[in-house]
């Protein structure tokens, strides 16, 4: 086993998250770890970058085989500043983001900071994976299944690497390790959030709104969606890319529209 | 012409942006306009949502055929709160986001708040378009070309609507209206930002970083990328979808990996 790999870790729950400690444990056997994680929780930050103010990068802890930095920006900022300031001579051999406290399947991919960071890795030409545990954002979630099966996935990853224009999205069901039924390849399921706001009134009589909502699964019977695989007790693994062009519709519209 | 359409407008440059005024002008002939725009500039916010604090929705101006609201959240929050609080009985017939002060081609799609809002429209089943002008974020940019050609695009859109699982991404070159060579169908170009941070030292001797960078075009000779079409003086129009699964790589990895 090559233990000389350079590994970049980040997340969107922030430097103090238990899921990040679990990710460090998962990756320790595979090389030297550099953690660059957000100072504050950054759930739902998608691929946001910080433009209108400056950010900081602060060394936090340093030990044998692992150095941790705090970044005051978003998950994508963490990747960008790591590449710009820390990996100036050598690219990381792999970027791993997570382990997110909460599933990142179906439309959650659109909003996920965890996967925003993995997508940013692809833009830098780094092999990238995101891991998420399908807990309801429980800060004290049990990550043993993630660590155990995550290593199986990493072994395959190093042996037979995916194309460099994809990142992998791994979702682990929130059930005891012994009950996990295995790992299955999935695709992004269709669905959306509904009933999204909790409207309240402040002491001055003015309304304000908290984002909340329920997930509506638009393919409840599909055997191969990420969302449904998790629901059935499987770990879902799916490759994603950044070219969102819909080529079929491009050809159709090209024929149909008159733009002269 | 059906002037009874319900039109939802938003942007990521904020309620005061000149590009939003140009979008209102572009859409006025087509129906009743509801603007829900961010209070503050939200460039680079991608599909971020506000989870860790609450947001406000404030009526700003009301006139014949147009009502404007300010939302204190992100562009995606604007769409979500419009759908949850304002369009409770009737869906908008179309959502238009922009006109962004700056191009949203190639990898900029990943970070764009303008297109984050258009993508959110797709999740709500609303026909959605994003418009961007390839200016270098000039607040006083000339949007006449956008308005003129935008209406040509809207006429085709209403006549021959795209599939509901795509949004259109329109980028207009920053040249005088008379010099625009026409409208061309494009695809998302490949490229990334490099040299991304400007490192400075504060008066206390500590470093801080501003996001900046140069765009590296990885397909400089491709005839059909959004980025290159704009560079050649064409308006680029491209359909995008939200399923980012890479199906080819999914099949290949399914065959190659051993996950038992």
């Amino acid at each position: 086993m090559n233990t000389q790999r350079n590994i970049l870790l980040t997340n969107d729950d922030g430097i103090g998250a238990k899921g990040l400690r679990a990710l460090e444990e998962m990756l320790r056997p595979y090389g030297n770890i550099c953690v660059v994680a957000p100072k504050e929780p950054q759930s739902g930050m998608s691929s946001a970058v910080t433009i209108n103010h400056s950010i900081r990068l602060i060394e936090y802890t340093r030990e044998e085989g692992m150095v941790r930095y705090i970044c005051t920006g978003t998950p994508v900022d963490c990747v960008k500043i790591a590449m710009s300031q820390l990996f100036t001579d050598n690219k990381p051999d792999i970027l791993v983001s997570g382990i997110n406290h909460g599933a990142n399947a179906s439309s959650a991919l659109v909003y996920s900071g965890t996967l925003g960071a993995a997508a940013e890795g692809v833009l830098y030409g780094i092999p990238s994976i995101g891991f998420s545990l399908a807990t309801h954002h429980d800060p004290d979630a049990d990550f043993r299944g993630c660590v155990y099966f995550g290593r199986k996935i990493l072994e395959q990853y190093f042996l037979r690497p995916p194309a460099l224009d994809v990142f992998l999205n791994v979702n682990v069901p929130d059930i005891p390790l012994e009950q996990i039924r295995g790992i299955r390849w999935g695709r992004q399921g269709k669905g959306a959030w509904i009933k999204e706001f909790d409207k309240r009134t402040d002491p001055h009589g003015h309304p304000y709104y908290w984002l909340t909502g329920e997930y509506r699964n638009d393919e409840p019977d599909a055997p191969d969606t990420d969302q449904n695989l998790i629901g059935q007790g499987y770990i879902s693994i799916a490759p994603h890319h950044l070219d969102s062009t819909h080529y079929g519709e491009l050809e159709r519209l090209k024929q149909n529209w008159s733009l002269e």
Side-chain angles (χ1 to χ4, degrees), chain A:
Chain A
M1 192 185 298
N2 174 13
T3 55
Q4 295 309 302
R5 288 189 191 89
N6 290 307
I7 298 168
L8 174 58
L9 301 188
T10 190
N11 76 348
D12 75 354
D13 293 315
I15 190 75
K18 189 179 173 189
L20 182 57
R21 296 293 90 72
L23 194 67
E24 291 166 2
E25 182 193 341
M26 189 201 299
L27 271 298
R28 262 193 192 277
Y30 302 104
N32 292 310
I33 294 177
C34 174
V35 176
V36 182
K39 186 177 181 195
E40 309 285 349
Q42 297 278 328
S43 289
M45 285 305 275
S46 186
S47 285
V49 290
T50 304
I51 291 175
N52 293 322
H53 56 90
S54 61
I55 62 171
R56 303 269 185 176
L57 175 69
I58 301 145
E59 189 176 313
Y60 178 55
T61 65
R62 183 176 285 270
E63 61 190 80
E64 180 65 31
M66 169 132 44
V67 54
R68 295 190 187 97
Y69 293 86
I70 296 171
C71 168
T72 58
T74 66
V76 166
D77 288 334
C78 289
V79 176
K80 284 183 181 294
I81 206 158
M83 294 307 296
S84 145
Q85 303 300 316
L86 306 175
F87 289 88
T88 47
D89 299 325
N90 60 334
K91 251 188 208 181
D93 296 293
I94 190 165
L95 179 161
V96 192
S97 180
I99 302 171
N100 193 56
H101 293 241
N104 278 315
S106 176
S107 302
L109 267 97
V110 173
Y111 312 114
S112 168
T114 304
L115 298 177
E120 186 64 24
V122 170
L123 286 170
Y124 271 98
I126 313 165
S128 300
I129 315 184
F131 282 93
S132 305
L133 177 65
T135 167
H136 288 290
H137 309 284
D138 175 9
D140 198 37
D142 176 4
F143 288 95
R144 285 179 305 139
C146 296
V147 172
Y148 178 82
F149 284 100
R151 285 184 181 157
K152 280 184 181 281
I153 289 168
L154 286 167
E155 302 285 349
Q156 288 296 309
Y157 195 101
F158 293 133
L159 214 56
R160 304 180 179 97
L164 271 178
D165 65 340
V166 307
F167 63 90
L168 295 187
N169 179 28
V170 179
N171 279 281
V172 179
D174 186 27
I175 53 180
L177 169 55
E178 307 72 35
Q179 291 175 26
I180 293 175
R181 295 170 71 184
I183 305 168
R184 290 273 171 96
W185 289 98
R187 64 173 172 88
Q188 187 180 349
K190 289 181 179 49
W193 272 265
I194 54 172
K195 299 180 190 163
E196 294 206 295
F197 285 96
D198 181 354
K199 181 177 180 176
R200 301 188 179 185
T201 305
D202 72 19
H204 315 293
H206 301 299
Y208 64 103
Y209 304 86
W210 284 99
L211 189 61
T212 165
E214 297 167 16
Y215 178 72
R216 186 196 66 217
N217 189 338
D218 290 337
E219 298 180 283
D221 302 320
D224 59 343
T225 69
D226 44 14
Q227 189 78 29
N228 294 347
L229 286 169
I230 308 167
Q232 290 158 17
Y234 291 101
I235 291 168
S236 166
I237 177 168
H240 291 268
H241 63 155
L242 275 66
D243 179 2
S244 61
T245 311
H246 192 305
Y247 287 95
E249 195 64 4
L250 178 58
E251 284 313 310
R252 197 183 72 82
L253 292 168
K254 225 185 236 181
Q255 302 306 321
N256 280 2
W257 279 32
S258 162
L259 288 170
E260 294 311 306

